[in-house]
Amino acid sequence: PCHYFFVKDSYVLDTLWKAGLKNVFYLPQCTDPDVHKPMEIKPDEKSIYETELSLIGSMYPYREKFVENIIEFKPAIWGRGWSKTSNKEILKLYRGFDIRGTAKAKAISGSAISLNIHHPLNDINGVNRRTYDIAGCMGFQLVDYKRDIDRVFKINEEIICYKNIEDLKKLIPYYLKNPEERKAIAQSAYKKVIENHTYDIRAKQIMEIIDNR
């Protein structure tokens, strides 16, 4: 019943086109730079938000397994549901609360490395919103590779991807030891997001598609 459908995943786009729908368009996720932006961590906030490695997101079985596989790096964890984990080592890493808005931006800004793992059912080829939010905070991230990432970021220049846990375990210590390289990549990702991936830009893209039909 809708004139236009916009989807974030090229897999969904291809599937719907093959089904005969012609009013479906690819539109990547984006971020709100008024919310997700670089934040200063005040001295009395350092114990709350500063960490070498972090993971933000609700607990799902796949995320719990992910943390178990990298437990030796002791990532700080924020999000809903983690207090229910039966893994005592993971429970020690949980910062005790979910974070949104400014608190989330501070956690990203205070993390040397933000871990970003896609939901296996929500993102087949597509890129999640967290990727843009982290970049909008000028955070450095390690993200599991998705095919659509190549469409929105330059890999190894604006974003660093891993393809398996073994790969990630090599990347974490490398980038912890190379802060200047982290900073350069994070700044490049921030520039890309501000210039190409905000809600204002997406709104203009939607209107251009409608006007050209």
Side-chain angles (χ1 to χ4, degrees), residues 119-201:
H119 193 295
L121 299 180
N122 288 348
D123 308 288
I124 307 302
N125 295 334
V127 182
N128 62 19
R129 197 187 74 187
R130 185 175 289 105
T131 303
Y132 302 92
D133 291 346
I134 293 172
C137 295
M138 208 182 293
F140 175 84
Q141 63 185 300
L142 295 175
V143 56
D144 57 325
Y145 176 76
K146 293 291 179 179
R147 192 179 302 171
D148 289 349
I149 288 179
D150 296 284
R151 303 175 70 155
V152 290
F153 290 102
K154 293 180 181 178
I155 295 176
N156 296 327
E157 293 182 27
E158 298 168 340
I159 198 165
I160 302 298
C161 299
Y162 65 90
K163 293 189 175 180
N164 52 53
I165 290 295
E166 290 70 28
D167 189 20
L168 178 61
K169 286 184 175 182
K170 295 176 184 177
L171 291 171
I172 291 172
Y174 173 82
Y175 282 105
L176 285 176
K177 293 176 183 176
N178 291 276
E180 291 304 314
E181 193 170 346
R182 287 200 319 263
K183 182 179 179 181
I185 292 169
Q187 289 176 336
S188 296
Y190 174 77
K191 184 174 185 292
K192 172 60 71 69
V193 161
I194 295 302
E195 292 178 355
N196 296 275
H197 305 303
T198 67
Y199 281 100
D200 286 346
I201 292 167

Side-chain angles (χ1 to χ4, degrees), residues 22-41:
K22 300 303 180 184
N23 58 341
V24 184
F25 302 87
Y26 173 72
L27 192 73
Q29 293 265 32
C30 56
T31 193
D32 182 352
D34 290 331
V35 177
H36 295 99
K37 57 188 176 181
M39 300 292 292
E40 179 185 358
I41 309 301

Side-chain angles (χ1 to χ4, degrees), residues 5-16:
F5 289 93
F6 296 93
V7 297
K8 66 172 184 174
D9 194 317
S10 65
Y11 174 85
V12 177
L13 179 71
D14 293 342
T15 301
L16 294 177

Side-chain angles (χ1 to χ4, degrees), residues 31-106:
T31 193
D32 182 352
D34 290 331
V35 177
H36 295 99
K37 57 188 176 181
M39 300 292 292
E40 179 185 358
I41 309 301
K42 297 177 182 178
D44 61 342
E45 297 176 322
K46 290 183 182 292
S47 62
I48 301 173
Y49 296 115
E50 284 197 349
T51 182
E52 287 190 333
L53 193 65
S54 71
L55 176 67
I56 300 173
S58 300
M59 189 189 79
Y60 293 102
Y62 78 93
R63 278 193 184 137
E64 185 177 30
K65 183 66 175 177
F66 172 81
V67 175
E68 287 175 353
N69 286 330
I70 60 163
I71 197 75
E72 66 265 35
F73 296 106
K74 299 184 178 354
I77 299 171
W78 288 275
R80 290 180 288 188
W82 290 99
S83 60
K84 298 177 182 178
T85 180
S86 59
N87 188 311
K88 294 182 180 179
E89 291 301 308
I90 292 179
L91 198 57
K92 292 177 183 177
L93 304 174
Y94 181 46
R95 292 288 172 105
F97 57 99
D98 188 22
I99 50 174
R100 310 276 172 171
T102 298
K104 179 181 172 184
K106 287 184 177 182

